[in-house]
Amino acid sequence: MATHVANRFSIAQRSLSLICQTPIRPQVPIYLIPFIANRPASQKSKTAKSSAKTAKAKEAPKKKKARTEYIRQPLNDMDRFALCDAMRYIRAFEVGRNPTSSKYELAVSLKSVKNGPVVRNRLRLPHAVDTSQRICVICPPNSKISEAAVKAGATVVGEDTVFDAVKAGRIEFDRCIAHPESVQKLGKSGIARVLGPRGLMPNAKTGTVVSDVASSVKEMRGGSEYREKVGVVRMAVGQLGFTPEEMQSNIRVYMDALKRDIAQLSDRVAKDIHEVVLSSTNSPGFSLSGDFRSPTSVTTRELSVL
């Protein structure tokens, strides 16, 4: 009898140990999730991933296509002014200003594609706007070339002295040109990292490596540069004391040069003039209509006197 009780106790003990080793799984009624319970695990994971992707696609906003051209507003309903009228209004904003310090600026808006070739050039206007530019000429010192540059009006002339001054942070010039004999020495000097970001590094492509330095210096002293930036070309075209006739002459030369530059780029990119705006140092811009005077304009003689 005692042996029988002991056997029953050992069987119960083994059963209890087996129950404890077997993991207890929750019983989910199949009628609650009939289609999930019968699917394989691989199909369940694929469905979960696809549903997550769908949710992300719904949440993420759709990307707009980037514009390839600059936005230009239509000019049909815009007020446009004759040159004499624009000068009259601009002078009202410049009352009390020094007539030589305030400048007329012409901004030409172009219909152009983004990230394309840009219009860039230099020209000499019939009536110089700024003759106070300091010009540096990199050429062999104590030579006929340097003597001609000094006579033409260059303020800084030489090679090693210029290189040492630039490396020391003394850039005492507004424009810089180089003679072909000094180009190799200029390249080895290491000042390109200083002058390059400032747009002062001489380069044959920009016409700042020249043989006739004297004529280039004379041209630069009364010359002006323009460069397209974000589809707009800006350049100073006159001083506040210029007469309407002088302004008309400068604007005509500038626009003719700009049209020639645009024509030279026609084989690579399509550009067209959209709007021409005249402004000054302290005035807003006035869109020009292309006329010199309007029926209500004051006489040019009145605009010739400050």
Side-chain angles (χ1 to χ4, degrees):
M1 184 67 180
T3 305
H4 181 67
V5 172
N7 291 337
R8 289 183 63 185
F9 179 77
S10 61
I11 293 171
Q13 189 176 13
R14 285 197 300 270
S15 300
L16 182 61
S17 62
L18 289 174
I19 291 171
C20 294
Q21 291 176 3
T22 305
I24 300 174
R25 297 179 180 178
Q27 295 292 330
V28 180
I30 295 180
Y31 63 84
L32 293 179
I33 44 174
F35 60 97
I36 294 178
N38 297 325
R39 282 187 303 172
S42 60
Q43 189 176 356
K44 293 179 183 178
S45 61
K46 290 180 180 179
T47 306
K49 290 180 181 179
S50 62
S51 61
K53 289 182 180 179
T54 306
K56 288 183 179 179
K58 289 181 179 179
E59 293 176 0
K62 293 182 179 180
K63 293 183 179 180
K64 295 182 179 180
K65 292 184 178 179
R67 293 182 178 272
T68 58
E69 295 184 355
Y70 295 106
I71 300 176
R72 295 290 178 255
Q73 301 298 331
L75 305 177
N76 300 332
D77 301 330
M78 186 179 294
D79 292 333
R80 307 181 75 183
F81 304 85
L83 177 61
C84 291
D85 294 337
M87 290 180 64
R88 179 186 178 187
Y89 298 140
I90 288 173
R91 287 191 176 189
F93 284 92
E94 297 286 356
V95 171
R97 306 282 181 177
N98 188 345
T100 58
S101 62
S102 296
K103 303 290 189 297
Y104 287 109
E105 185 182 72
L106 201 69
V108 182
S109 175
L110 303 178
K111 292 180 180 178
S112 175
V113 296
K114 296 181 178 179
N115 302 324
V118 298
V119 177
R120 178 180 180 180
N121 208 339
R122 185 181 72 249
L123 80 159
R124 185 181 179 88
L125 296 173
H127 307 281
V129 179
D130 186 9
T131 58
S132 62
Q133 284 194 342
R134 302 169 300 171
I135 300 172
C136 170
V137 179
I138 299 176
C139 63
N142 303 321
S143 63
K144 293 182 179 180
I145 301 170
S146 62
E147 291 177 2
V150 172
K151 288 181 180 179
T155 55
V156 181
V157 178
E159 288 179 339
D160 294 332
T161 54
V162 177
F163 302 154
D164 295 339
V166 171
K167 290 177 182 178
R170 299 193 309 272
I171 303 176
E172 300 173 345
F173 50 86
D174 305 309
R175 299 289 305 280
C176 184
I177 61 175
H179 191 270
E181 293 183 9
S182 302
V183 170
Q184 187 175 3
K185 200 169 184 180
L186 173 64
K188 294 180 180 179
S189 65
I191 64 173
R193 68 187 68 179
V194 181
L195 298 182
R198 292 173 170 82
L200 297 174
M201 186 65 183
N203 192 334
K205 294 182 179 179
T206 58
T208 49
V209 176
V210 293
S211 300
D212 190 358
V213 295
S215 60
S216 297
V217 169
K218 291 179 181 178
E219 182 182 352
M220 284 183 177
R221 291 199 70 191
S224 302
E225 276 192 355
Y226 57 87
R227 179 187 175 94
E228 178 187 350
K229 188 176 182 180
V230 198
V232 180
V233 185
R234 292 182 174 87
M235 193 182 76
V237 293
Q239 297 179 5
L240 194 64
F242 280 14
T243 64
E245 289 80 9
E246 290 173 337
M247 285 289 296
Q248 183 186 36
S249 178
N250 279 2
I251 291 174
R252 184 175 293 158
V253 170
Y254 170 47
M255 294 302 298
D256 290 343
L258 186 60
K259 289 176 182 178
R260 286 195 300 269
D261 294 335
I262 292 174
Q264 291 176 359
L265 296 175
S266 60
D267 58 337
R268 290 188 289 169
V269 65
K271 290 181 182 286
D272 192 17
I273 295 175
H274 174 68
E275 184 184 12
V276 180
V277 178
L278 183 67
S279 62
S280 71
T281 307
N282 301 287
S283 79
F286 295 86
S287 180
L288 299 182
S289 62
D291 299 327
F292 180 64
R293 296 181 71 251
S294 68
T296 59
S297 297
V298 298
T299 62
T300 56
R301 186 175 181 179
E302 293 180 65
L303 290 173
S304 302
V305 180
L306 288 174

